[in-house]
Amino acid sequence: DIQMTQSPSSLSASLGDRVTITCRASQSITSYLNWYHQKPGKAPELLIYAASNLQSGVPSRFSGSGSGTDFTLTISSLQPEDFATYYCQQSYSNPPTFGGGTKVEIK
Amino acid sequence: EVQLVESGGGLVQPGGSLRLSCAASGFTFSSYTMNWVRQAPGKGLESVSAVTESGGDTFHSDSVKGRFTISRDNSKNTLYLQMNNLRADDTALYYCTKGHRRDGYSHWGQGTLVTVSS
């Protein structure tokens, strides 16, 4: 199975901050990388698919980049509704494994 | 509006069985790969199973292979997960999700909780 490693596991940030989360795959997954966030008590929501494609309805402050083994999710200006746990998921091969998550908290 | 509504979870003893269902609406169910993803209490996400549009191809993670079976009834717009020989480490919230992994799971249900305990 392809292992996905996210960093950091948690971070504290203020409203308006630029936030970057990284995800590393144990082998090349080309651009087959999805990003989700999950608010407490809610189901995850798809933000980015295929590394850099913004899911319909997702605000443009979210962006994704990377290819091969190293990927980044960036929130350009953190908003109150962005405090959540973020997960990456490789979609290159079965099983489609998730990273361990990054919890974004209020500073 | 896309809706995925899971049901069938509950408390079951180790070695027992459950069948989860996911009722889908708001889209052409037979045109999409469907999946089950689970989340143990306080933990991260784990892909469990997937089934292609026609039901002809399925995938199960190693942790459930031989014990769980995913299926679908396109005439009823319903996804199923038959879970046999349940273990304590199967305790989790089970989500039904829509879409092939390459496109991302665009919609998720609210989840149904499975608790395996004596």
Side-chain angles (χ1 to χ4, degrees), chain A residues 1 32 34 36 38 41-46 49-50 55 87 89-100, chain B residues 35 37 39 43-47 50 58-59 61-62 93 95 100-111:
Chain A
D1 296 2
Y32 292 117
N34 305 319
Y36 303 83
Q38 183 178 32
K42 301 292 187 181
E45 296 176 331
L46 178 65
Y49 63 95
Q55 174 67 3
Y87 294 96
Q89 177 202 31
Q90 66 82 14
S91 57
Y92 180 78
S93 65
N94 278 327
T97 42
F98 291 88
Chain B
N35 319 274
V37 176
Q39 186 169 36
K43 302 296 185 183
L45 301 167
E46 180 189 7
S47 297
T58 62
F59 158 78
S61 67
D62 285 346
L93 188 62
Y95 292 105
H100 191 278
R101 69 179 192 271
R102 293 277 171 93
D103 302 316
Y105 300 154
S106 62
H107 294 83
W108 298 59
Q110 83 289 350

Side-chain angles (χ1 to χ4, degrees), chain A residues 10-53:
Chain A
S10 66
L11 65 90
S12 295
S14 300
L15 294 177
D17 281 355
R18 182 181 182 87
V19 170
T20 298
I21 299 167
T22 63
C23 181
R24 175 165 288 176
S26 59
Q27 65 182 74
S28 177
I29 56 171
T30 63
S31 294
Y32 292 117
L33 192 284
N34 305 319
W35 289 99
Y36 303 83
H37 72 182
Q38 183 178 32
K39 299 174 187 177
K42 301 292 187 181
E45 296 176 331
L46 178 65
L47 299 173
I48 301 281
Y49 63 95
S52 61
N53 295 277

Side-chain angles (χ1 to χ4, degrees), chain B residues 24-94:
Chain B
S25 60
F27 65 102
T28 305
F29 181 72
S30 59
S31 296
Y32 290 89
T33 293
M34 297 295 293
N35 319 274
W36 290 99
V37 176
R38 68 184 180 184
Q39 186 169 36
K43 302 296 185 183
L45 301 167
E46 180 189 7
S47 297
V48 175
S49 300
V51 61
T52 54
E53 294 86 333
S54 67
D57 269 327
T58 62
F59 158 78
H60 296 88
S61 67
D62 285 346
S63 60
V64 307
K65 199 172 294 181
R67 301 187 298 122
F68 291 11
T69 303
I70 189 172
S71 63
R72 65 192 296 161
D73 186 336
N74 287 342
S75 68
K76 295 182 178 179
N77 290 349
T78 302
L79 176 72
Y80 302 101
L81 186 67
Q82 178 66 44
M83 311 165 69
N84 298 331
N85 193 20
L86 283 159
R87 311 186 305 219
D89 61 359
D90 294 319
T91 294
L93 188 62
Y94 284 73

